[in-house]
Amino acid sequence: MSARPTYEELEKRVAALEQAEFDHQEALEALKESNNRFLHLAANVPAYFAYVNADTLVYEFVNDAFEKSFGIPREKIIGSHIKDVIGEANYQFALEFIDIVRSGKSVSYQNTFGLTSGKRWIQVNYTPVTDANGKVVSIVVLSYDISDRKQAEEALRESEEKYRLTFDFSPDSVNINRLEDGLFVDINQGFTKLTGFTREDVIGKTSKEIQIWHNPADRQSLVTTLKENGYCENLEAQFRKKDGSLTTALMSAGVISLQDEPHIISITRDISERLRAEEERKKLRDQLMQAQKMESVGRLAGGVAHDFNNMLMAIIGNTEMAMAETEPSTALHKKLHEIFSCAQRSADLTRQLLAFARRQTIRPKVLDLNELISRMITFLHRLIGEDVDLVWKPAMALWPVHMDPSQIDQILVNLAVNARDAIIGVGNLTIETENVFFDETYCMMHQDVIPGEYVLLAVSDTGCGVEKEAIGLLFEPFYTTKTVGKGTGLGLATVYGIVKQNDGFINVYSELGQGTTFKIYLPRTRIQVATESEEVRQNPARGAETVLLVEDEPPILKIGKAILERYGYTVLDAGTPAEAQAQAQQHQGPIHLLITDVVMPQMNGRDLLERIAASRPGIKTLYMSGYTSDVIAHHGVLGEGIHFLQKPFSVKTLAAKVREVLGDSAEKFRASDC
């Protein structure tokens, strides 16, 4: 049997029990205080707080925020399955995360929940609570409303998406480069379209490495402006494409910060087409102004030609008649010849006015330029003198053209005289012909050219040449690079007018000290060259027919009648269309030929012919005028079967033309009249 404990031992045991009880009570108080603090914290935390049994998934505790968020009384929540509170869809979504927290790991997820405040984005955090054996017995649920943050993120995402769409699909070139060295950070599709460079070509490389700036000074100017102002607007510069070609573009740029480093964001628009369009508009405006100028000068030339040629006609006719009545060896004859020569030169000047204004009356024929030019070579040799070597290079199988042969004469004479005056001392004048074809591509670059086949007439000299600034003025009427008294300024204007009247075009190439080349392109004609011979009549045959001469200028009427009577014709003269109609009615015999001025008061020559032909069908007609307007010519081109004599003309010219129109010999008419 064991010994009974002593008093001291009992006293110690009692003291130990009392201490243990005290410690237990103190622990209970601490636990109670801790539990109260937890409950107070859980109740007042702004987050949604709950305890869920890990096995049954039944709520054991929820705080005020959780209760209010779902709008369900706490008594109904506690003891309920989480599916009944958060809904079937959210429960199914949460199962994956519940399995993770049951394994002892904390987990978070985001989802939308239908709360009393509406549909809200919630951040849910699951934390496991284990027992002494490490088994998960409870799940602490701590949730936060992140809807505002989600909205901000969505707004930022939409903003970034809009920016990216704007950036990527902008028709303009957009790129981001580091400010200091031009390192490419980003480019859009517009950049690739403009330059041909892809992202792989440029990202991570500097603008210097890919040599995109045609003039590096332009980039330096951009950087300087950006550093001073923070932005740069409408910088026009040329950029090198991937294929090496250049394009002109307009750039605006600003400075942005990326990773605390200054960068350039620039928007660049290709303005090459706009510049080309502006250049084309300017060219069209210039052409319109030129056309208006030519129209004005043409009207002036027409008026001057009509009156001036009438006066010259009287001077030339009377002078020629007087010369015929004087001995060639006399001083009077020489003076008359000088008057005649001056009048002829004045007539040439008037013809030049009409030619460059495209008012010259012409009779186009199918021509072989090689043949026509070959006949002129001897004359051109005499014209340019012995110091200038004339080289003639005709092309083989040259295509024909359709134009007045006298116009070719005018072109060659004017260009030859210009070349002679441009050559100081000895030199060369080269005339060439060639067949050429212009396609659509060439014509797109040269708006005044129509696609097709042309005959080239090139006239080149080794003269002093022309300054570039003056080339555009060469065809202006009365413009000349020659010294005072050496040129009228009508020569090249005449050439230009003739070429345009025949639907051709002309180019000029010149360098100071090297010489000048004029290239004239005349449309090829498909009409076959007609073989014909023209007899140059030194002494026109006489006639015996009756001629009705109509002219409203008395001096011309008088001299015309005298010329015709000298050559044997019977002349009925009339100063007005009304008098002519009366003569035609009253004359008893035949009237073989009507010679009428074209432009007259009361009635023009064509209308007069219609009136007279009504009573005298088959009457032949010869028109004469210093300027026809468009009465008998369409755009200056005479129709088939129309006979015309340009004023002023010589005595022999009139006599030969009358004989040509009448055709049959005077003897035949004498026989038929008897």
Side-chain angles (χ1 to χ4, degrees), residues 317-328 333 336 566 651:
N318 282 291
T319 303
E320 198 171 7
M321 293 282 283
M323 288 169 61
E325 297 172 2
T326 60
E327 290 293 331
H333 186 92
L336 289 171
R566 170 187 279 189
V651 171

Side-chain angles (χ1 to χ4, degrees), residues 429-457:
L429 171 64
T430 303
I431 302 175
E432 302 173 78
T433 56
E434 185 181 346
N435 295 328
V436 295
F437 174 77
F438 294 113
D439 57 15
E440 295 284 352
T441 304
Y442 180 88
C443 296
M444 287 177 64
M445 304 298 293
H446 301 80
Q447 298 296 323
D448 56 338
V449 182
I450 299 174
E453 297 171 327
Y454 291 82
V455 175
L456 166 64
L457 169 60

Side-chain angles (χ1 to χ4, degrees), residues 256-317:
I256 60 173
S257 178
L258 294 178
Q259 298 178 346
D260 297 326
E261 192 171 2
H263 285 70
I264 303 171
I265 181 168
S266 58
I267 300 175
T268 308
R269 175 166 296 179
D270 189 347
I271 60 172
S272 300
E273 287 299 326
R274 190 187 80 187
L275 293 177
R276 278 193 288 270
E278 288 176 354
E279 182 64 27
E280 183 58 30
R281 282 196 295 271
K282 180 180 181 300
K283 186 176 181 180
L284 290 175
R285 283 196 301 269
D286 292 343
Q287 289 177 347
L288 176 61
M289 290 179 64
Q290 179 70 9
Q292 291 172 336
K293 184 189 302 182
M294 297 296 283
E295 180 64 25
S296 298
V297 176
R299 286 195 295 268
L300 173 63
V304 169
H306 181 265
D307 294 335
F308 191 52
N309 281 337
N310 278 337
M311 291 185 286
L312 287 174
M313 182 69 248
I315 295 171
I316 290 173

